Amino acid sequence: MTTTANGVAASWRRISDTIDGFDLSPSPKSDEVHVLAVDDSFVDRKVIERLLTISSCKVTAVDSGRRALQFLGLDEGREH
């Protein structure tokens, strides 16, 4: 736990390193986190990409849930 300049106590902890079996921790070869950003707005995707890249994240941005599933390799067997 840390105390901020205004005296408010704050704490941060990672809730989980995995969600539904996906490893969210940085790869052992790099401290870089890979983020999959999904938004149907081109402008919003670019803003998200820029902000996350500034935060030292590798970013893959796609425009739909279907494309996100394809990127993750989870779209097999789904009707299109």
Side-chain angles (χ1 to χ4, degrees):
M1 182 165 320
T2 60
T3 304
T4 62
N6 63 3
V8 176
S11 66
W12 181 90
R13 67 181 178 90
R14 177 174 247 160
I15 294 171
S16 176
D17 286 338
T18 62
I19 293 180
D20 292 335
F22 291 101
D23 184 5
L24 302 177
S25 59
S27 74
K29 297 177 185 175
S30 161
D31 287 337
E32 188 175 54
V33 174
H34 190 173
V35 176
L36 176 59
V38 184
D39 198 298
D40 60 350
S41 165
F42 176 79
V43 172
D44 289 346
R45 281 194 313 275
K46 290 300 173 188
V47 169
I48 291 167
E49 281 183 84
R50 176 69 55 98
L51 291 172
L52 290 170
T53 301
I54 289 170
S55 298
S56 299
C57 293
K58 178 180 178 183
V59 180
T60 299
V62 295
D63 63 356
S64 69
R66 176 172 284 150
R67 290 198 192 277
L69 291 173
Q70 289 171 343
F71 177 81
L72 294 170
L74 300 174
D75 67 333
E76 295 178 27
R78 298 187 191 272
E79 290 189 30
H80 298 278

